[in-house]
Amino acid sequence: MLPRFHWSDITNVGHYLGVLILMTGAAMCVPAVIALVFGEFRQLGAFVAGIGVCLTIGSALRFFKARGLDRRRALLLVGFGWIAIGIVCAVPLLLSGSFDSWFDALFDSVSALTTTGVTLVTDVDSLSYSQITWRVIMSFAGALTVVVIAMYSGFFGEGSRVFMMSERRDGERTRARISETCLSVLRVYGSFALVGAVAATVICLFLGLHPVDAIMNGFWLALTAVGTGGFVPHTSDLIYYHSLPLQFVLSALMIAGAISFAVYAYARARRFGHIRRNAELRVYALWIVALVAFVTWIMTREGFFTSLGGLMQNGLTTVVSAATTCGMQAVYPEQIGGLITDGVVILVIVAILFGACAYSSGGGIKFVRILQVLRWIKYSILVRLAPDNARVRIKYEHFGSQSLSSEDAMIAMTVFILYLGTAALGSMAFIAFGNDALNSVFESISYVTNCGMTTEITQAGLPFGLKIVALLLMWAGRVEFIALIGAIVGILISLHPENLFSNDRSRDLRTLKRKNFGGTAWRRRKRQESGRRGRTFVVTGLLVLALGCLGTGAPAAVAVPGGAQVPAQDVEALNSPSPYSSVDVRSLLSAGKRQDGSDVVFTGEAVGSPIIADEGHVWVNVKNAGAMVGVYMSTELAGQIAHYATYEQTGDMITVQGIYNLACADHNGELEVHAEQVEVNAQGESWTNPVNPATYVVGIVLIVAGLALTLARQSLHGRVRFRNLFRWERN
Amino acid sequence: MKAVFQRRAQKKGSPVVGMLVVLASICAFLAFLALVTVVVHFIVM
């Protein structure tokens, strides 16, 4: 029997959605305080408005009565909650002025909440502290939510339930409440993030960043690495820092975020035996070791990265980032599309697809499912080989001895097939826009597994049709399809007014009565219901087909000609033996082997701050046309640059002449330019983002309205007490 | 049964120790990966 939702289900879910929206509003206070401290008054107005929206909507939704979350209602909440929360989270992003459209703001917020980490902002380096902090908080909160849902609801894994147990004072152990689970998860991931933030901050200080910059960057990187969100507030991702030690620290945090939360639960109870024997953890570790060995083998044989540092930066850390589905990149997207062989790219794709461990914030198919599928194959073979009277049982160690059931294997294979099928559909959509096939598969799998590693396709800018496809992929991948499909089917079936507004019990009684009395009336009623179901399915099918056509067929008319390749006018310049001049940085990054070791001249804006490379040399990151490249220059040359681009500050426009290195052996195989001459063409200027008073007015009005609604709700329940205003009803 | 469980629970100790052990294990695993990279590189070279 297909799930049908009634109005009571929707109002009940609405109540809990209101609670989540109120929590979102509370979380917005953190970046609001940061905006106030650093004088980012335009951003402060955006967050005040965002808090007002959350308070008003959340308080209004809490008027619906809470009746507890059963499985069907939890399905609805999990399925649609991500988009609903994404909409309110997008309010401060939209008002920040970084986006041209509301859809782009929604894309960014959903990308952060689903821990994908892809951003459509072209000038990430000029984002304010508060905006970056908000993105990082969304990513971290999304990660915690996934872990809590996985641990508590069983949506993401039926066969290996790990219950969070709490111990009462009398020694009795009971299943923990969801609030205790949330606190436990926050405590563990928060402590990892704190340790990581301290380590990253120290490294950033050694790199020469300003102390405030170092603290903020350390905090952002640590939170986003532990949550496997992968958002780095720089156009060139981790390459911006030019630091292998920093990448190692972040790799450790990524692994911490990608292993099962149950490991920490057992570690806190000091039950290391269970952890040692855990099959999923062993296979996952072995898988990463095998990947690193294989990728190192291929890269060394191909001769691209001849130094150990290059292999570690481009091989080891990239593999760890892919295998944990974090998505922090230490290689340029253009290198993935051009320099690195297809074999390595395919390995990285498989690593992303297999994903992390169950009950973690990582995405992908999850290793416990891979294990279950493999064991089911083993069971199928053994059953055929065993004598007729033999009973075959497959057991494996997953925080206790587990016996593989057909139901577990069926769910694992279902999710496996759904991931592959969705990734295939997404790949077709990307190919339909004229993109390279392998890059399209990479992008599609990266989105559906919420990894966020990108190639030239996303870097070059996504057309609107592909943005829709990418958003759907991220959403479906995060809730692992079944919850989303169940929720959508349930909603569509329930759209008939009779289904939506009828009372469950009276409807069941009427049905029972009809069946018992039998006869023509009952048969006619059955035929009518079948007809309605059939029409609902036809409408659903047509909607899906229409969306599919929109995503694959129609965009062909606006396909990017030739995909994200080097423009034709630059190809000639690239092949010319003369100094390569007046091209944008993106073409420089796509130049590949053609310009390796050659003289190049290009112009761009100095961004961020100079990063200490070694004695007497610094890295200056130069940006142009939405792409960034690292320039290695002496401190004397760098001394000419007075201004670097940050929030409300443009950087000096400089012309650099130097040697282009596709994979510099002296600098961990990085794609960079050794500058021989630097000329400052124009000085950078500071400017102030105009404050929009309307955002403050609207925000304050909405905050007052929200508080009024909360007081009104409280007064309906009896005496108004301040401590009960935002109390979460427990069922 | 309750008393046995309480005694067992008291033996657990601080959860911080467990977390530190996991953190040290992760760092050791990363070091092992770096070692694998070095070994494979030299084998191929």
Side-chain angles (χ1 to χ4, degrees), chain A residues 167 169-171 173 188 192 248 252 256 264 267-268 270 272 285 288-289 292-293 296-297 300-301 306 308 311 316, chain B residues 2 5-6 9 12-15 17-19 21-23 26 29-30 32-34 36-38 40-41 43-45:
Chain A
E167 195 171 297
R169 283 182 189 171
D170 58 4
R173 287 165 64 83
V188 168
F192 270 116
F248 269 101
Y264 302 118
R268 283 159 64 84
R270 296 172 80 178
F272 297 112
I288 294 177
V289 170
V292 166
T296 307
W297 182 284
T300 310
R301 279 182 66 87
T306 52
L308 278 173
L311 287 170
L316 193 159
Chain B
K2 197 188 292 183
F5 192 82
Q6 277 176 326
K12 277 192 296 190
S14 168
V17 173
M19 295 298 295
V21 168
V22 172
L23 186 60
I26 291 170
F29 179 66
L30 260 180
F32 179 69
L33 287 177
V36 165
T37 305
V38 170
V40 172
H41 174 67
I43 288 172
V44 177
M45 292 291 281

Side-chain angles (χ1 to χ4, degrees), chain A residues 310-390:
Chain A
L311 287 170
M312 293 203 194
Q313 172 157 322
N314 296 284
L316 193 159
T317 55
T318 303
V319 164
V320 168
S321 180
T324 57
T325 69
C326 181
M328 284 180 166
Q329 287 181 236
V331 291
Y332 284 101
E334 289 79 5
Q335 286 180 301
I336 295 175
L339 170 67
I340 297 174
T341 58
D342 288 353
V344 172
V345 175
I346 289 170
L347 273 177
V348 171
I349 288 173
V350 173
I352 295 170
L353 185 64
F354 281 13
C357 295
Y359 308 106
S360 74
S361 59
I365 295 172
K366 305 288 187 338
F367 260 85
V368 72
R369 295 195 182 106
I370 305 285
L371 275 181
Q372 285 170 341
V373 168
L374 290 173
R375 284 194 159 83
W376 192 253
I377 294 170
K378 178 183 172 184
Y379 169 80
S380 305
I381 295 168
L382 286 176
V383 158
R384 274 143 189 80
L385 293 174
D388 291 341
N389 58 352

Side-chain angles (χ1 to χ4, degrees), chain A residues 544-555:
Chain A
V544 168
L545 196 62
L547 276 171
C549 288
L550 185 71
T552 61

